[in-house]
Amino acid sequence: MQARVTLASSFASLRHTAKTAKTAILVLFGMLWCSAACAAEIERIEVSQADLFYHVELTATTNVSHDLLYSLITDYPRYTEYSPRIIRSVLQPLPDTPDAVLMVIGRACIWWLCRDLVKISRVTETPPTGVEFEIVPDTGDFSAGHEKLVFVASSPGTVLHYQADLKIKFASRAPAFIGVWLIRKFIRSELEDTLAGIERAAALDSAD
């Protein structure tokens, strides 16, 4: 019972923080993960949609070392450094568990349409190979979803696999012309920008 109360109070605190934020910028569907000399390359990306769920699969390669990439992607407060669209990323540990709750606030824009988004996830790390994000049901702008990152060392850098199934509350009200092809283009652009941002952070960290 105490763990349940603690978890509920953690979510309530994060929701209050989200409501008080004046501006928000976030990658559409919460896809802000993915990283040292701007040599990242997206090898494969697939986007599909069914029953208001968006399914994404991505494979990318980078020259960033496995350990450094894992360290950067699990340094959640630094997400604001990786993408100009992210202005707030808050991590709150869950007492008596190895997990934490992550809230990211941001703005997603497709052409002239923009929307502020809040995504709250329970984060489970399995170092050094994986990170999973489970959407806290009916919080923020996502009613359900799961994301998984897998890191594979590959000389001289790392192969990153990303898989997500996400349901956005307002998806059913999106204009008809915003089809999967446009969302796919948007996601690819955002992931490329975020990878470049993580790589810049890796280069700076390596220089210190």
Side-chain angles (χ1 to χ4, degrees):
M1 173 63 77
Q2 182 178 0
R4 183 178 299 175
V5 172
T6 303
L7 189 61
S9 62
S10 298
F11 296 156
S13 176
L14 288 174
R15 291 192 194 99
H16 175 73
T17 303
K19 290 179 181 178
T20 58
K22 294 182 179 179
T23 312
I25 300 184
L26 168 70
V27 178
L28 185 63
F29 308 136
M31 295 162 197
L32 17 131
W33 310 272
C34 299
S35 320
C38 291
E41 179 180 354
I42 294 179
E43 297 183 344
R44 182 179 70 92
I45 180 169
E46 296 180 3
V47 180
S48 58
Q49 186 268 339
D51 298 326
L52 301 182
F53 271 89
Y54 282 87
H55 176 77
V56 180
E57 291 191 23
L58 170 91
T59 299
T61 59
T62 173
N63 285 339
V64 178
S65 69
H66 177 278
D67 291 346
L68 181 54
L69 181 62
Y70 190 91
S71 174
L72 287 168
I73 289 182
T74 55
D75 192 352
Y76 309 105
R78 291 187 68 182
Y79 280 6
T80 54
E81 299 177 31
Y82 307 154
S83 171
R85 294 176 177 81
I86 307 167
I87 66 163
R88 193 172 184 89
S89 181
V90 181
L91 186 72
Q92 185 168 324
L94 291 174
D96 303 320
T97 79
D99 297 347
V101 176
L102 174 67
M103 180 185 70
V104 180
I105 306 173
R107 169 165 291 180
C109 293
I110 296 181
W111 290 344
W112 66 90
L113 296 176
C114 294
R115 184 180 178 100
D116 295 351
L117 299 177
V118 176
K119 185 167 71 73
I120 300 177
S121 309
R122 180 165 182 154
V123 182
T124 302
E125 298 180 5
T126 53
T129 59
V131 184
E132 295 190 46
F133 304 83
E134 188 72 31
I135 296 294
V136 178
D138 297 316
T139 61
D141 291 291
F142 297 79
S143 54
H146 181 264
E147 298 164 282
K148 183 177 182 179
L149 281 165
V150 176
F151 304 76
V152 180
S154 178
S155 182
T158 311
V159 177
L160 182 66
H161 299 285
Y162 172 76
Q163 186 174 30
D165 288 285
L166 295 166
K167 185 177 183 180
I168 306 176
K169 291 180 180 179
F170 63 85
S172 61
R173 303 190 300 274
F177 66 84
I178 300 181
V180 172
W181 70 272
L182 185 56
I183 292 174
R184 181 183 184 278
K185 181 179 180 180
F186 176 87
I187 291 172
R188 184 183 184 97
S189 175
E190 292 302 333
L191 290 173
E192 287 174 340
D193 290 346
T194 303
L195 275 167
I198 294 175
E199 289 188 328
R200 286 191 296 270
L204 290 173
D205 288 1
S206 299
D208 291 341

